[in-house]
Amino acid sequence: YKGGFGEKLLKFLERSAYSKWPLHNLRLSNSCKGLQDGHSLCYDPDYVGKVCSLHPIQLVKTVRLRVHQVVNLLEEEDLNIKMLVLFRDPRAVRSSRVHREWCSFPACNSLARMCSDQDMDMMLATKLSRIYPSKIMLVKFEYLVKQPQEAIQAILKFLGLSWHPGLTKFMSDHMVEDPRHKMEGDLHAQSVNSSAKADQWRSKLTQVQLAELDRVCGGTIERHQEMRMTGQT
């Protein structure tokens, strides 16, 4: 972590509006909160690195990372890595981004680029999953949130993990209809009705927006609808 990207990220988080993000990691927060100058240890690269090294499984979530950018990682034989590549209906992605003020750069707000990127990512991820079936898995967002029991079982099988009771609680907290999950507009909410959000684009996008999506991304939408998640029966 020291001197590298990890240190820069931690320092950025500490000074930003996202300072609570590291505290969402219970294993980290339980070992750093309140021990030294408030929560300062939670942003110390040496300390965080040592805490993470105690755990055999390291989980990293990235957003808008292109599949071609991880090919070299898959080719490293000594790197025990598994990747879940999540795909979502382009209409839902567009609906999620269209009202975000920060989404003002081409890689985010260009409809043509969004769908072109998804096409290339799906094609390459499918090819890589055949070359490295134990390292890369395609996940379909709609299947995951509407059939969580089956989808999560498939993901666990791919990862070589068994079902944990905490997953049952997570599903009841995040994947069922509950007034507490109504956090509209909160991009980083941790409690949402994910199954309902899958189809929100149907009511949020205008007919003009839907027509443009069909014109620019018709093929991408069709390919996504035909896509099956790895392990889906």
Side-chain angles (χ1 to χ4, degrees):
Y1 277 85
K2 193 68 175 178
F5 175 77
E7 179 177 16
K8 294 178 181 178
L9 175 61
L10 287 169
K11 295 307 178 185
F12 164 76
L13 291 173
E14 185 177 20
R15 297 189 300 266
S16 73
Y18 307 113
S19 60
K20 292 185 178 179
W21 279 16
L23 305 182
H24 291 163
N25 185 325
L26 294 180
R27 291 171 179 78
L28 174 61
S29 62
N30 287 342
S31 62
C32 69
K33 287 174 64 175
L35 294 183
Q36 177 180 299
D37 300 327
H39 304 328
S40 63
L41 278 180
C42 303
Y43 308 96
D44 182 276
D46 288 332
Y47 186 82
V48 172
K50 290 174 182 177
V51 171
C52 289
S53 67
L54 296 174
H55 300 280
I57 298 175
Q58 309 292 324
L59 175 64
V60 179
K61 172 190 173 182
T62 67
V63 180
R64 293 191 306 278
L65 178 68
R66 300 298 311 283
V67 173
H68 70 83
Q69 294 172 318
V70 302
V71 174
N72 290 341
L73 296 177
L74 293 171
E75 293 174 344
E76 292 190 26
E77 295 183 1
D78 295 334
L79 187 59
N80 183 18
I81 189 171
K82 290 180 179 287
M83 297 183 182
L84 303 176
V85 186
L86 181 67
F87 291 98
R88 190 176 183 184
D89 190 306
R91 294 166 293 190
V93 176
R94 185 64 168 178
S95 176
S96 176
R97 294 180 181 181
V98 71
H99 297 301
R100 305 294 178 187
E101 293 183 1
W102 53 264
C103 186
S104 57
F105 48 97
C108 186
N109 66 7
S110 168
L111 187 56
R113 180 165 175 178
M114 180 190 81
C115 292
S116 174
D117 286 351
Q118 179 158 330
D119 281 335
M120 288 188 287
D121 284 340
M122 184 179 294
M123 181 175 64
L124 182 55
T126 300
K127 177 181 178 180
L128 291 172
S129 69
R130 293 170 182 153
I131 300 173
Y132 306 102
S134 65
K135 290 187 175 184
I136 186 167
M137 177 181 190
L138 279 67
V139 180
K140 190 171 185 176
F141 177 84
E142 292 78 13
Y143 181 66
L144 175 61
V145 299
K146 293 181 179 181
Q147 302 290 335
Q149 187 84 25
E150 294 84 351
I152 294 174
Q153 287 281 16
I155 291 173
L156 291 176
K157 182 178 179 181
F158 169 74
L159 296 175
L161 300 173
S162 57
W163 188 273
H164 189 279
L167 290 170
T168 303
K169 184 178 187 307
F170 181 89
M171 287 171 56
S172 66
D173 288 346
H174 295 257
M175 296 183 167
V176 296
E177 185 66 34
D178 191 312
R180 293 173 298 175
H181 301 166
K182 304 293 186 181
M183 294 188 176
E184 186 65 31
D186 186 352
L187 180 62
H188 308 297
Q190 287 197 307
S191 180
V192 296
N193 179 5
S194 54
S195 59
K197 290 185 77 68
D199 293 322
Q200 276 189 347
W201 60 267
R202 297 180 184 276
S203 59
K204 296 180 72 171
L205 291 174
T206 66
Q207 290 300 314
V208 172
Q209 290 171 324
L210 287 170
E212 183 184 18
L213 273 157
D214 188 57
R215 178 178 60 82
V216 178
C217 298
T220 308
I221 293 170
E222 184 176 345
R223 283 184 285 275
H224 178 79
Q225 291 173 330
E226 295 173 350
M227 170 195 170
R228 294 181 65 82
M229 175 173 155
T230 305
Q232 181 178 345
T233 57

